[in-house]
Amino acid sequence: MQTPAPDITVVIVNYETRDDTVACVGSVLAHLGGLDAQIVVVDNGSGDGSAAALRAAHPGIDVVEAGENLGFARAVNRGAALARGEFVLLLNPDALMLEHSLPRMIGFAREHPQYRIVGGRTLRADLTLEPSSCWGAPTLWSLSMYATMLSTVFRRSRLFDPESLGTWPRDTIREVPIITGCLLLIRRDDFVELGGMDEDFFLYGEDAEFSMRAAARGMARVVYPPAAIIHTVGGSSAGSSKGSMVLAGKVTYLQKSWPPRRTAVGVLLLKTGVAVRAALETVTRRANRPWTTVWRRRADWASGYPHAEAALFGRPLPEPAAA
């Protein structure tokens, strides 16, 4: 007799976040609310004993040892390839699932099949809103605001910082352009239809491209507030290269989503925004100058991925995906 498919497959990508990931998996298992779940953790070659610790703490889960740092998109696809669930949930390793969130999220998705990708709320440890669960799509206007620093001066302004979606506290059900990969629910069949995450990306930007690729196929994306996690932003990607990785992801998104001339203008606006911020660091004589570092490395990120992966990390260019 064939075993019924689980309700959900939770895919978590781990890189040097052993304790956080063990806690993350524990929070999912503690709050299944009767759901049948498969949990797949893809370990990106961590040197902190993550794989062994996960198997010891949670012997019922699937731990995939990639043997190297695949980045986010490739690791997600590796995990999703093992999925048996009706739904696939992408969940960051530095997240803690809150009580009732997962069964409510699944229930909402089943009751409202017109929404093909479902996100939720991300909260800080003190349970205040951390608004990065969703974003507006980049436009020439939003990048112009970045270039002139008006998006920083008027942070979360609907006019000057449109990608932030204004001051909306993510407390109402609302369709949005981009659901971030820290908490993203999609039917497994839809994930397959979309072809998974674009493996040209290494880290950052892949969820934006995935969301907008879904939009091009008429797949609505929605935030459902009762689904919530506590999220430590950037838990596995902190460091001096983060700014360059973020910019590389933005450039790659533009290359994948916009026509060439518009992309060229967009990249120029990103470079201008970095140059302005680096200049301010010099003028104000800041001891710590992250934007200056990003500016100096612009040749590494301005062509996007996969070039940026090789340039920023000294890695060989990844093999093209099999046809």
Side-chain angles (χ1 to χ4, degrees):
M1 185 174 179
Q2 189 174 8
T3 304
D7 298 295
I8 186 170
T9 297
V10 181
V11 177
I12 302 167
V13 177
N14 175 82
Y15 179 65
E16 306 286 7
T17 52
R18 179 192 61 205
D19 295 341
D20 283 347
T21 308
V22 168
C24 175
V25 173
S27 74
V28 173
L29 294 172
H31 299 309
L32 288 176
L35 293 174
D36 183 15
Q38 173 195 18
I39 298 178
V40 180
V41 179
V42 180
D43 179 60
N44 269 346
S46 300
D48 62 354
S50 288
L54 284 159
R55 290 190 177 106
H58 306 296
I61 71 172
D62 297 321
V63 179
V64 179
E65 294 187 63
E68 62 175 318
N69 190 354
L70 299 176
F72 186 71
R74 286 169 233 148
V76 163
N77 289 348
R78 181 79 65 89
L82 301 177
R84 304 190 309 273
E86 175 188 358
F87 292 90
V88 172
L89 177 72
L90 308 187
L91 184 65
N92 265 28
D94 51 359
L96 294 174
M97 185 66 65
L98 297 185
E99 189 175 4
H100 306 305
S101 290
L102 197 51
R104 287 174 177 171
M105 197 177 198
I106 295 292
F108 176 83
R110 285 174 171 160
E111 292 168 11
H112 302 276
Q114 70 271 30
Y115 297 126
R116 307 283 285 278
I117 297 179
V118 181
R121 301 183 84 209
T122 48
L123 307 173
R124 301 182 180 93
D126 62 1
L127 300 184
T128 57
L129 179 70
E130 197 296 299
S132 65
S133 66
C134 57
W135 297 104
T139 63
L140 286 178
W141 174 258
S142 72
L143 295 183
S144 297
M145 296 302 96
Y146 173 79
T148 58
M149 286 198 66
L150 288 173
S151 61
T152 299
V153 174
F154 300 102
R155 191 179 301 276
R156 301 193 71 183
S157 159
R158 291 180 63 185
L159 178 61
F160 297 111
D161 187 20
E163 290 182 37
S164 72
L165 301 176
T167 57
W168 170 52
R170 280 67 168 157
D171 60 350
T172 54
I173 297 171
R174 178 170 165 178
E175 290 190 31
V176 296
I178 293 168
I179 300 290
T180 56
C182 65
L183 180 66
L184 185 155
L185 182 76
I186 184 171
R187 287 171 177 80
R188 178 163 55 95
D189 289 346
D190 285 343
F191 188 88
V192 172
E193 179 184 336
L194 287 168
M197 292 276 176
D198 188 323
E199 296 192 1
D200 281 348
F201 289 86
F202 182 73
L203 189 61
Y204 300 111
E206 61 282 290
D207 44 9
E209 190 278 335
F210 183 78
S211 289
M212 299 312 291
R213 186 160 21 107
R217 296 199 180 201
M219 296 183 180
R221 291 86 57 225
V222 68
V223 165
Y224 176 64
I229 58 171
I230 294 173
H231 181 219
T232 305
V233 178
S236 62
S237 61
S240 59
S241 295
K242 180 177 178 179
S244 294
M245 286 192 292
V246 170
L247 269 296
K250 288 180 180 293
V251 169
T252 310
Y253 168 84
L254 299 182
Q255 292 170 338
K256 298 278 185 178
S257 306
W258 289 8
R261 290 184 180 179
R262 190 178 178 199
T263 296
V265 175
V267 173
L268 179 60
L269 290 170
L270 288 172
K271 287 182 178 178
T272 301
V274 173
V276 169
R277 287 161 175 79
L280 283 174
E281 288 178 343
T282 300
V283 170
T284 58
R285 299 182 179 180
R286 286 187 56 180
N288 182 30
R289 300 183 182 184
W291 288 110
T292 301
T293 300
V294 174
W295 175 248
R296 287 173 178 166
R297 302 206 68 176
R298 62 192 180 278
D300 295 337
W301 56 258
S303 295
Y305 292 122
H307 166 81
E309 180 181 347
L312 292 171
F313 301 103
R315 293 160 56 97
L317 287 171
E319 293 293 329

